[in-house]
Amino acid sequence: DVDERIDVSGMVVLAGAVLALLVALDQGADWGWASAPVLGLLVVSICLLAVFPLVERQVRDPLLPMDLLSNRPFLITLAGNGLCVPAFFIAFLYFPQYMTKSLNWTTWNAALGMVPLMVLLSVGSVVSGRFYKVLGPKRLLCIGFLLLFAGCLAVLFLEPAWGYLGLLLPVMLIGLGATLCVGPAGTASIAAVQEKRAGLAGGLSFTTHLICGAVGVAAATAILYDTSRRALEAGLSAAGITLSAADQKVLIGNDPDNKAAQEIFAKLSAEQVDAARTLLIDAFASGLSNAYWVAVVAAFFGLVAMLMLDEDKLRTAEAS
């Protein structure tokens, strides 16, 4: 048995960096992106990330052994495991809201609308393993990221008037793309290291998966909220409807049939309510489209990374 110590210092520094970044992204729209607290949190996050390698060099059993940073195939597959995540994490969070807010679906119907994505991910996680050896990790991951990229691009042009069929295309593309990326990227990252480090590689791969997912969702949420708020504010002003910033925030953050939203609508005339509902539909759709730029960029760089992957080195590491 190997007496290994838990890298508490590394965990604290890395967790602190991620937490500071997430809080900055979460509160940026409310506090102001140029406000001292937000800028301070971003500086803290950057500083902690810069200190992290220095901390890792000082501990006996580091969370991230420094020699792995010179393992190019491992770093590429690690990036692939993280960059594929924002596309479907954002989908899980905001596609149901799109169906309830922009398509006026019930919560139950919105849940059913997510079934195709769930089926693709669950069935595909089994099927993709069979293609790993047939196509090879590089080809499989390139196809996966290409599908993810296409699905994310489709969201950018999504219009509520297209109904559910308009949403189904990106759902299918993102589901298929994620299926071909998540499992194979994890397998490839383990194949990129020596057998004795398989557990470490798997753990780092999963950690990267979660961190990129959390940061991607936080960034997308910040963009969605800010875009929706600005679009709603401009629309209300053009329609001659006066609502406080607090009321607008409630409308953006809730379903139109929510009790809090209904109390705000009660202040308006019937014509104004209809206009406000239409503006909310357009504002959320606009916010979702802009938010998906996060996933588009992630999928693009994931595809670029996979094109740089050297399968021969993966096979060599796998055989060692």
Side-chain angles (χ1 to χ4, degrees):
D1 295 336
V2 179
D3 180 21
E4 294 186 354
R5 298 178 183 177
I6 297 176
D7 181 12
V8 177
S9 56
M11 292 169 59
V12 170
V13 171
L14 182 59
V18 175
L19 179 61
L21 176 59
L22 292 177
V23 173
L25 291 172
D26 183 62
Q27 297 297 326
D30 290 330
W31 294 351
W33 293 108
S35 65
V38 171
L39 293 177
L41 285 168
L42 292 175
V43 169
V44 168
S45 179
I46 293 171
C47 289
L48 288 175
L49 285 175
V51 168
F52 179 68
L54 302 178
V55 173
E56 294 299 89
R57 288 191 178 94
Q58 302 302 317
V59 296
R60 194 184 75 176
D61 299 308
L63 183 67
L64 176 61
M66 289 297 100
D67 61 300
L68 280 182
L69 295 180
S70 61
N71 185 334
R72 180 177 170 136
F74 175 71
L75 293 179
I76 290 175
T77 54
L78 198 66
N81 205 300
L83 293 171
C84 68
V85 182
F88 60 92
F89 268 34
I90 298 170
F92 281 135
L93 182 60
Y94 288 118
F95 281 2
Q97 292 188 43
Y98 177 82
M99 286 181 263
T100 57
K101 293 181 178 180
S102 295
L103 303 185
N104 200 30
W105 283 23
T106 64
T107 303
W108 171 248
N109 287 339
L112 293 177
M114 293 298 291
V115 168
L117 180 59
M118 297 301 298
V119 170
L120 285 170
L121 289 174
S122 57
V123 174
S125 62
V126 178
V127 176
S128 63
R130 299 181 180 180
F131 287 107
Y132 186 87
K133 290 185 177 180
V134 176
L135 297 176
K138 180 173 183 175
R139 188 177 301 174
L140 192 62
L141 287 166
C142 283
I143 294 172
F145 271 105
L146 188 60
L147 290 171
L148 275 180
F149 182 66
C152 295
L153 277 179
V155 179
L156 300 184
F157 302 98
L158 196 60
E159 293 287 347
W162 297 346
Y164 181 65
L165 290 179
L167 182 64
L168 190 58
L169 175 62
V171 163
M172 299 294 286
L173 289 172
I174 290 171
L176 286 171
T179 287
L180 300 179
C181 287
V182 178
T187 302
S189 66
I190 294 174
V193 301
Q194 295 179 354
E195 186 177 348
K196 64 182 180 180
R197 282 184 158 178
L200 174 63
L204 289 172
S205 183
F206 185 64
T207 300
T208 303
H209 186 90
L210 295 179
I211 290 175
C212 288
V215 172
V217 167
T221 299
I223 294 172
L224 187 148
Y225 174 78
D226 198 51
T227 302
S228 298
R229 181 183 60 81
R230 292 176 184 274
L232 180 62
E233 183 180 23
L236 291 173
S237 177
I241 301 173
T242 302
L243 286 176
S244 68
D247 285 345
Q248 292 181 37
K249 183 177 180 179
V250 171
L251 290 178
I252 292 171
N254 291 278
D255 187 279
D257 295 323
N258 179 276
K259 182 180 178 181
Q262 288 299 312
E263 290 177 353
I264 294 172
F265 287 145
K267 305 174 184 178
L268 307 176
S269 67
E271 290 183 357
Q272 288 178 324
V273 170
D274 290 339
R277 282 179 172 272
T278 300
L279 289 170
L280 273 174
I281 291 173
D282 294 338
F284 186 83
S286 175
L288 180 62
S289 294
N290 283 329
Y292 248 87
W293 274 108
V294 174
V296 168
V297 172
F300 173 77
F301 281 106
L303 178 59
V304 171
M306 294 310 101
L307 290 171
M308 297 168 60
L309 183 62
D310 188 339
E311 279 190 351
D312 292 334
K313 291 185 178 179
L314 276 181
R315 295 191 184 103
T316 301
E318 192 173 20
S320 61

